[in-house]
Amino acid sequence: MKTASQVLPATFTYKTNNIQYSLREVNLTQDFHLLYKWMHEPHVIQQWQMDKPEIELRVYFERMCVDDHQRLYIVQINGRDVGYLEIYEAARDRLGLYYDADVNDLGWHILLGETDTVGQGHFRAVMRMMIYFIFEYSPAKKIVGEPDENVKSYGYVADEIAFEVQRKIKLPEKTAILYHCYKEKFYEKDLGK
């Protein structure tokens, strides 16, 4: 039987304001050079803390690719690879230790790695694409996230995409803001525009 993350399609496309945003499943052989590059970008290091040597990072991503509680995607803007997305099953992830996770809750970790895409207004659309992707193709009724409290970009878009702050949680490497996005509230807010 497939897990909640395994039922997600390998690709997805979302169009808004004449820009095409897409997801495609990571192909580690093809994509490792991008992942390595992005993890070493200064704006990514601060949040992800994954600026590891090549061999260590390769082993990390190999483990991620075979872990059946998550799926890894490359984010594209108009066909160009620009970022990385992890979608994971929260109840089977360490986040499940910090809140009462439902078996169908899906969480995310996301980055825009190409520096020329950061601060250009793409983050909101990429987040909305990810939310539609999860709610349309999984049994999730709630999406969860736990970005570092020092990363302000989520706070700027949270209300617009129905991400509700639950509380701060202390993880070993960071103090995070726990967000919940409920399917019904997201559709009500997004389709009501």
Side-chain angles (χ1 to χ4, degrees):
M1 185 167 123
K2 289 188 173 186
T3 67
S5 59
Q6 289 176 325
V7 301
L8 294 169
T11 62
F12 182 72
T13 299
Y14 172 80
K15 199 167 190 174
T16 184
N17 297 325
N18 295 318
I19 299 172
Q20 180 175 295
Y21 296 91
S22 304
L23 296 173
R24 66 169 180 80
E25 191 168 18
V26 165
N27 174 325
L28 196 56
T29 302
Q30 171 187 321
D31 298 323
F32 179 74
H33 72 284
L34 284 173
L35 297 169
Y36 180 82
K37 173 187 163 198
W38 293 336
M39 291 301 175
H40 288 83
E41 291 290 351
H43 73 281
V44 173
I45 293 170
Q46 178 184 9
Q47 182 179 358
W48 283 69
Q49 303 164 14
M50 291 293 296
D51 53 329
K52 311 278 187 205
E54 184 174 340
I55 189 71
E56 192 175 334
L57 208 54
R58 185 174 291 278
V59 169
Y60 169 81
F61 278 110
E62 285 178 356
R63 287 184 180 147
M64 296 285 284
C65 285
V66 298
D67 184 339
D68 75 348
H69 93 283
Q70 62 196 357
R71 293 285 293 271
L72 313 181
Y73 293 91
I74 296 296
V75 176
Q76 298 179 313
I77 299 176
N78 290 329
R80 178 181 171 219
D81 298 336
V82 299
Y84 170 68
L85 170 66
E86 297 170 1
I87 297 176
Y88 63 88
E89 297 168 34
R92 295 180 59 209
D93 189 81
R94 71 177 185 150
L95 186 58
L97 300 171
Y98 296 88
Y99 84 104
D100 186 19
D102 182 86
V103 68
N104 290 318
D105 288 355
L106 291 180
W108 47 268
H109 297 123
I110 195 165
L111 68 85
L112 291 178
E114 294 298 324
T115 56
D116 64 344
T117 62
V118 176
Q120 301 301 309
H122 296 295
F123 184 68
R124 182 176 283 105
V126 169
M127 290 297 290
R128 185 172 278 114
M129 170 182 64
M130 180 266 301
I131 295 166
Y132 272 116
F133 179 59
I134 289 173
F135 285 150
E136 293 294 318
Y137 293 100
S138 81
K141 300 282 188 249
K142 178 173 63 199
I143 299 172
V144 299
E146 79 314 336
D148 188 299
E149 69 176 342
N150 297 313
V151 179
K152 303 301 181 198
S153 53
Y154 298 99
Y156 300 139
V157 301
D159 185 57
E160 186 177 328
I161 58 175
F163 267 57
E164 301 173 3
V165 173
Q166 301 303 300
R167 67 181 181 280
K168 288 186 181 182
I169 56 175
K170 184 71 177 142
L171 301 172
E173 77 285 5
K174 66 183 179 182
T175 299
I177 305 292
L178 177 64
Y179 284 101
H180 288 176
C181 175
Y182 295 93
K183 184 175 186 175
E184 187 176 301
K185 289 182 181 180
F186 171 74
Y187 280 104
E188 182 181 295
K189 180 167 278 211
D190 204 61
L191 299 177
K193 290 181 179 179

